[in-house]
Amino acid sequence: MRVRVKNCLLLLVLLVLGVACKTKSDVDAFKEADYSLQQIDKVEVNGVDLMQKKGPNDFSFSDAARLFSAVSANNLSAISTLGLNVSLGEGNESRSMTVTQLKWQLLVDDQKTVSGLVDEPVELKNGLNLITVRSPLKLAEVNGRTDLNSLLQLATLLNQEKADRPKVVLQIKPTILTSVGPFELPAFINIKN
């Protein structure tokens, strides 16, 4: 009887170690992956399509009023469709990962400008991933207040030529679903554009 219990315990320990090794391998593959933003097909903030705005004159009075109200309360909500390319490297092409939560932030000239949190699960795989995300937005505050100009600058930034654009960095910090539960990566990952 004791031998049987020992054999069962040994089998259980081996099974747990096998699952833990696979989980660590999956997390490492996605932590070390190269991420690049290939396309942005849609950016809608509180119902205003920012991809159609090239400058402040493109905003109607209704657009401006809606955004001013949301900016005043720092209560913005965005819907975006993004093309995120994930390059896992050789030998990892068949892996996939479920991101249960995604913290993100946008830095303009190394200053945090806007941040958000995506709570909807997203499945990532090697190659191009077309993702539609819904996220509340929080604009960076200056002297405890948000500024509508920050949002207008972000809107026009999307439509500027690369040569005229300031330094823009998108960073993500995913929480990955693993076999032992959710795991949040310890640091933000820079997305290349």
Side-chain angles (χ1 to χ4, degrees):
M1 180 76 169
R2 283 183 132 179
V3 172
R4 192 174 190 182
V5 169
K6 282 184 181 180
N7 287 341
C8 286
L9 282 175
L10 181 61
L11 183 61
L12 181 62
V13 167
L14 289 174
L15 182 64
V16 168
L17 285 175
V19 168
C21 288
K22 182 183 179 336
T23 297
K24 183 180 180 328
S25 177
D26 287 346
V27 169
D28 287 346
F30 279 92
K31 190 166 63 172
E32 295 166 5
D34 286 326
Y35 296 88
S36 61
L37 189 60
Q38 297 296 310
Q39 64 196 53
I40 302 174
D41 293 331
K42 174 183 178 181
V43 177
E44 194 174 284
V45 176
N46 287 50
V48 177
D49 185 1
L50 297 185
M51 296 299 286
Q52 303 299 318
K53 311 299 183 193
K54 301 219 184 295
N57 294 335
D58 293 333
F59 289 85
S60 70
F61 179 77
S62 173
D63 292 341
R66 187 178 319 149
L67 293 174
F68 179 76
S69 173
V71 167
S72 297
N74 207 358
N75 186 22
L76 296 162
S77 178
I79 299 173
S80 301
T81 303
L82 309 172
L84 180 65
N85 191 55
V86 180
S87 180
L88 291 175
E90 202 169 307
N92 293 314
E93 293 89 355
S94 63
R95 295 179 192 256
S96 67
M97 170 180 71
T98 300
V99 176
T100 58
Q101 186 179 65
L102 182 70
K103 293 177 182 174
W104 63 271
Q105 58 187 21
L106 187 70
L107 308 176
V108 177
D109 286 335
D110 296 322
Q111 296 292 318
K112 183 176 167 184
T113 305
V114 65
S115 62
L117 176 71
V118 178
D119 271 334
E120 300 170 6
V122 174
E123 186 76 23
L124 293 181
K125 60 182 178 19
N126 189 59
L128 185 62
N129 297 268
L130 292 177
I131 306 166
T132 298
V133 293
R134 289 166 178 51
S135 174
L137 301 178
K138 292 295 178 199
L139 293 173
E141 295 183 356
V142 178
N143 298 326
R145 295 180 42 201
T146 57
D147 185 12
L148 182 59
N149 288 330
S150 299
L151 182 63
L152 295 176
Q153 288 170 342
L154 284 173
T156 57
L157 180 72
L158 291 171
N159 292 307
Q160 282 181 354
E161 296 296 323
K162 259 191 173 176
D164 299 331
R165 220 182 265 174
K167 180 182 172 193
V168 178
V169 177
L170 176 63
Q171 297 180 324
I172 61 171
K173 188 176 185 183
T175 299
I176 304 166
L177 183 62
T178 68
S179 57
V180 292
F183 173 77
E184 181 178 54
L185 292 183
F188 279 93
I189 299 168
N190 286 351
I191 303 294
K192 300 173 190 167
N193 60 348

